[in-house]
Amino acid sequence: MKAIAVQPGAGVPDVVERPVPEPAPGEALVRIHRVGVDGTDYEVIEGSHGGPPEGDDRLVLGHEAVGVVDDPNDTGLEAGQSVVPTVRRPPPGTETNEFFERGEPDMAPAGAYVERGIVGAHGFMAEYITSPAEFLVPIPADLAPWGFLVEPLSITEKALRHARASRSAFDWQPDSALVLGTGSLGLLTAAMFSAADDFERVYCLGRKDRPHPVIDVIERLGATYIDSRETPVPEIPAAYEPMDLVYEATGYAKHAFESIDALAPNGVAALLGVPGDWEFEVDGGHLHRELVLHNKAVIGSVNSNRSHFEAAIDTLAELPDWLLEAIVTGIYGLESVDRAFPHTATADDESAGTPDDDTTIKTAVEFTAI
């Protein structure tokens, strides 16, 4: 079978041949339909994050996938059933641990998990994969073409659940939300917030010049676009309003601290971006006072568990088709796989046929049609 693998740090993913995997007891064989490409994939390709399984110099990419059960292998799943795989698995040589037993692998510390397509385990960018049934979440067939969006949606489902939990000691009634970032995760999150009953006003911060399709999406959602070059994060309360929730999806380290100033009293900032090392000065006393005197909170969130995937499938069903079509700017077969990675060295070559421009929002690789 064909798969897309990378030698971390090489900067270029390749189509490789791999044997079709044999499902072990308790595992199903899944024929992959589509796999999304996101920022984490680029970090793996560049070698700044993740790594292959022990003893292997290459990693099969992909952690945002949808497929169909080809061989249920007595798992209780049904042949032809559409499924979305979750990402984390127990480390090699262990069948489980306390975090997986509780259904909370997303809360496991480093060393207590591997992540398929990211670190320590091959991913889903292949014609076939195997997986224990407990890590395969059924999705209605009519949603399957967009099923690769379930994983990023699940990330926001978890972050929002944790944000609410951090405010559960009192009657938190948020009205305003600010999303930092206009990538696919930021846009999906802005869409979720715009459709939610919690938020009457949603803002999305980016660095795009008008006219731009990303700004068109934000405004069609009924949200307000904020250009960070004109209104930096700390100035947003004065220019617009203090925010009950700030959702950071940029990986820009200063935003973690600037978000505190952007919050309204009793507000919470959820941080999801993963920055590199960067030293800079902050007024620690000021930030400390803001947190204490105004009952603000800052939380970090990574990964998601099965319950978040299930909630994300429900959310996906509620998103309008126009939004999904606007966010997913390209779905490519193996013959055009370099176009699915427009920010790599290969795609910058003239032979790639797709310029590395900022109108590309979300791409996916299609292995088989459903």
Side-chain angles (χ1 to χ4, degrees):
M1 70 171 185
K2 288 181 167 43
I4 299 174
V6 66
Q7 185 173 2
V12 179
D14 296 314
V15 178
V16 300
E17 288 287 342
R18 295 246 170 179
V20 175
E22 291 285 339
E27 291 186 335
L29 178 68
V30 176
R31 177 168 52 89
I32 292 298
H33 175 39
R34 291 174 174 175
V35 185
V37 177
D38 78 346
T40 301
D41 294 308
Y42 287 110
E43 292 171 358
V44 173
I45 292 167
E46 295 164 359
S48 62
H49 185 63
E54 187 174 351
D56 203 327
D57 65 348
R58 284 180 171 267
L59 175 73
V60 175
L61 291 169
H63 59 280
E64 305 175 350
V66 61
V68 294
V69 176
D70 192 77
D71 178 6
N73 195 31
D74 297 323
T75 59
L77 296 168
E78 298 180 3
Q81 185 175 19
S82 297
V83 292
V84 174
T86 62
V87 179
R88 285 193 174 179
R89 302 290 187 273
T94 63
E95 293 184 2
T96 187
N97 58 43
E98 60 181 300
F99 299 97
F100 286 86
E101 290 170 358
R102 292 199 301 261
E104 298 173 346
D106 54 311
M107 303 308 295
Y113 64 85
V114 294
E115 291 180 327
R116 296 198 59 167
I118 302 175
V119 59
H122 290 303
F124 307 132
M125 278 192 185
E127 292 182 279
Y128 291 91
I129 67 160
T130 58
S131 174
E134 65 192 279
F135 302 127
L136 297 173
V137 185
I139 182 173
D142 63 326
L143 294 179
W146 304 110
F148 60 92
L149 297 175
V150 168
E151 194 276 342
L153 286 168
S154 76
I155 298 299
T156 297
E157 294 285 358
K158 174 188 174 177
L160 187 54
R161 190 177 298 181
H162 281 231
R164 288 173 175 147
S166 76
R167 310 286 80 191
S168 63
F170 61 95
D171 183 19
W172 189 51
Q173 298 185 12
D175 290 323
S176 57
L178 169 64
V179 178
L180 305 182
T182 56
S184 57
L185 180 59
L187 293 180
L188 287 169
T189 299
M192 291 173 62
F193 290 174
S194 296
D197 294 334
D198 285 355
F199 306 108
E200 294 184 5
R201 298 170 303 283
V202 177
Y203 303 82
C204 197
L205 179 121
R207 296 173 61 86
K208 309 291 186 186
D209 294 319
R210 295 178 186 273
H212 199 284
V214 162
I215 301 175
D216 293 341
V217 169
I218 292 168
E219 294 182 341
R220 188 171 176 182
L221 288 169
T224 299
Y225 173 68
I226 301 175
D227 190 328
S228 64
R229 296 166 296 185
E230 299 174 358
T231 311
V233 173
E235 298 177 13
I236 287 176
Y240 295 91
E241 63 177 302
M243 301 295 163
D244 296 314
L245 173 66
V246 174
Y247 180 101
E248 181 278 314
T250 64
Y252 183 67
K254 283 189 176 180
H255 283 341
F257 303 94
E258 293 173 339
S259 295
I260 297 172
D261 278 325
L263 289 173
N266 305 323
V268 56
L271 311 181
L272 289 93
V274 181
D277 292 340
W278 181 19
E279 294 184 7
F280 51 87
E281 292 186 1
V282 298
D283 185 342
H286 166 73
L287 297 178
H288 195 159
R289 288 193 304 274
E290 283 294 307
L291 291 169
V292 173
L293 296 180
H294 301 292
N295 292 307
K296 298 179 180 181
V298 179
I299 65 167
S301 182
V302 68
N303 199 254
S304 53
N305 63 43
R306 186 183 180 99
S307 70
H308 306 126
F309 272 71
E310 292 169 342
I313 290 171
D314 292 338
T315 295
L316 179 63
E318 297 172 358
L319 296 179
D321 288 343
W322 72 261
L323 173 71
L324 305 179
E325 292 166 357
I327 289 177
V328 180
T329 49
I331 297 175
Y332 303 101
L334 289 175
E335 71 282 358
S336 305
V337 69
D338 51 354
R339 299 181 69 187
F341 295 88
H343 306 301
T344 61
T346 299
D348 289 337
D349 190 284
E350 291 183 1
S351 64
T354 298
D356 180 8
D357 62 46
D358 73 345
T359 62
T360 299
I361 302 174
K362 182 74 173 180
T363 61
V365 178
E366 182 172 86
F367 286 88
T368 58
I370 291 182

